[in-house]
């Protein structure tokens, strides 16, 4: 049996990735495939925390676009993440995966409030913990929330599952000559303004010495490959 190289991971999945080829809303077939792989990780003894974005429903700064006050637009984005959290949690439960949803903004009838010690206890008991509402603050992305939660729960790596298969020297869609990196440093990501995560998230991961492994979610098995140390995507580290 393949052995994992990490004991505790923080998996960040973009909202757009959950939408699959639909590009908006929810693709339950894709969510089901992700949950199947998460279950495989649990069966290997890996503890999994999960942060989901909300871009398949609403992106605060982008969709607000000057038509709304930024704080309110970001709050709408936080609510979008909760819809994704509940959808993923439901699919997890259908597959027999023990799961808890915790939100940075209290909404007790549908989720637990985020409490670090409780989240860690859930992880130790083999439950997946899904973190919603980002950091609970406007002006911060869900990538930043992923790094923050990873630092708080002591995750050994951040698995950044997006619609791109790694970090490139330029946008591969616009520049056919763009070079994909296998490994790159935080400093180089910041210096070259590469779009791995926003600068706040990148700086926070650098300050807390948490490696970030970015890969494509198109094949959810990449999650298991990453957990088991196989070469997939791009790793950002010191």
């Amino acid at each position: 049996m393949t052995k994992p190289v990490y004991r505790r991971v923080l998996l960040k999945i973009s909202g757009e990735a959950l939408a699959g080829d639909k590009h908006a809303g929810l693709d339950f077939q894709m969510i089901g495939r992700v949950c199947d792989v998460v279950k495989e990780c649990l069966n290997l003894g890996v503890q999994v925390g999960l942060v989901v974005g909300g871009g398949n429903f609403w992106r605060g700064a982008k969709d607000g676009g000057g038509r709304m006050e930024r704080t309110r637009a970001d709050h709408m984005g936080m609510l979008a993440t909760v819809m994704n959290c509940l959808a993923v949690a439901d699919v997890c439960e259908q597959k027999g995966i023990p799961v808890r949803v915790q939100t940075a903004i209290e909404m007790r009838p549908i989720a637990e409030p985020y409490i670090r010690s409780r989240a860690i206890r859930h992880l130790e008991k083999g439950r997946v913990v899904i973190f919603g509402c980002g950091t609970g603050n406007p002006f911060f992305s869900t990538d930043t929330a992923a790094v923050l939660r990873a630092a708080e729960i002591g995750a050994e790596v951040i698995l950044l599952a997006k619609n791109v298969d790694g970090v490139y020297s330029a946008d591969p869609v616009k520049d056919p000559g763009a070079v994909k990196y296998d490994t790159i440093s935080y400093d180089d990501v910041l210096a070259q303004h590469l779009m791995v995560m926003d600068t706040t998230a990148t700086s926070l991961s650098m300050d807390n010495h948490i490696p970030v492994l970015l890969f494509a979610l198109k094949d959810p098995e990449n999650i298991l490959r990453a957990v088991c140390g196989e070469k997939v995507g791009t790793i950002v580290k010191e």
Side-chain angles (χ1 to χ4, degrees):
M1 180 179 289
T2 305
K3 292 185 177 180
V5 297
Y6 302 109
R7 182 182 65 88
R8 180 178 294 166
V9 303
L10 191 290
L11 173 63
K12 163 67 198 310
I13 300 178
S14 68
E16 291 91 336
L18 290 179
D21 293 334
K22 296 167 60 178
H23 305 298
L26 294 165
D27 181 339
F28 281 95
Q29 184 176 4
M30 171 59 77
I31 295 172
R33 292 171 63 200
V34 170
C35 292
D36 285 337
V37 177
V38 168
K39 188 172 186 177
E40 291 183 67
C41 293
L42 293 179
N43 290 339
L44 291 175
V46 179
Q47 299 174 13
V48 181
L50 176 61
V51 169
V52 292
N56 51 325
F57 289 116
W58 179 267
R59 298 181 67 87
K62 180 179 179 181
D63 291 337
R67 297 175 297 241
M68 293 184 67
E69 196 276 321
R70 171 66 186 271
T71 298
R72 185 166 288 118
D74 281 357
H75 282 153
M76 289 177 63
M78 293 175 208
L79 295 176
T81 71
V82 177
M83 290 193 287
N84 286 336
C85 288
L86 296 178
V88 174
D90 192 80
V91 175
C92 281
E93 289 177 344
Q94 291 178 40
K95 295 179 178 292
I97 301 169
V99 62
R100 296 291 186 275
V101 176
Q102 293 194 343
T103 55
I105 296 174
E106 287 196 17
M107 43 189 76
R108 289 180 182 268
I110 61 174
E112 295 179 1
Y114 170 68
I115 299 173
R116 174 182 172 273
S117 58
R118 180 175 289 179
I120 291 174
R121 185 61 175 157
H122 287 321
L123 293 169
E124 291 173 343
K125 285 181 172 290
R127 298 167 183 149
V128 173
V129 183
I130 308 178
F131 302 105
C133 292
T135 68
N137 301 287
F139 299 96
F140 290 93
S141 70
T142 50
D143 282 347
T144 299
V147 179
L148 176 62
R149 295 292 180 250
E152 289 179 308
I153 67 174
E156 297 164 289
V157 66
I158 298 166
L159 304 179
L160 202 59
K162 296 204 172 188
N163 284 333
V164 62
D165 66 347
V167 180
Y168 287 80
S169 58
D171 186 340
V173 175
K174 299 177 180 178
D175 183 356
V179 177
K180 180 184 173 185
Y181 299 108
D182 291 328
T183 304
I184 191 170
S185 70
Y186 303 113
D187 285 333
D188 285 339
V189 167
L190 292 169
Q192 297 178 43
H193 303 286
L194 300 177
M195 296 307 293
V196 179
M197 304 183 291
D198 59 84
T199 54
T200 302
T202 303
S203 297
L204 188 59
S205 60
M206 178 172 64
D207 291 345
N208 288 279
H209 314 290
I210 309 173
V212 178
L213 182 53
L214 186 149
F215 56 88
L217 188 65
K218 187 173 184 179
D219 180 3
E221 286 292 328
N222 281 336
I223 298 170
L224 185 62
R225 296 185 185 106
V227 163
C228 292
E230 293 185 31
K231 196 171 183 180
V232 58
T234 302
I235 189 161
V236 184
K237 59 183 181 179
E238 294 176 292

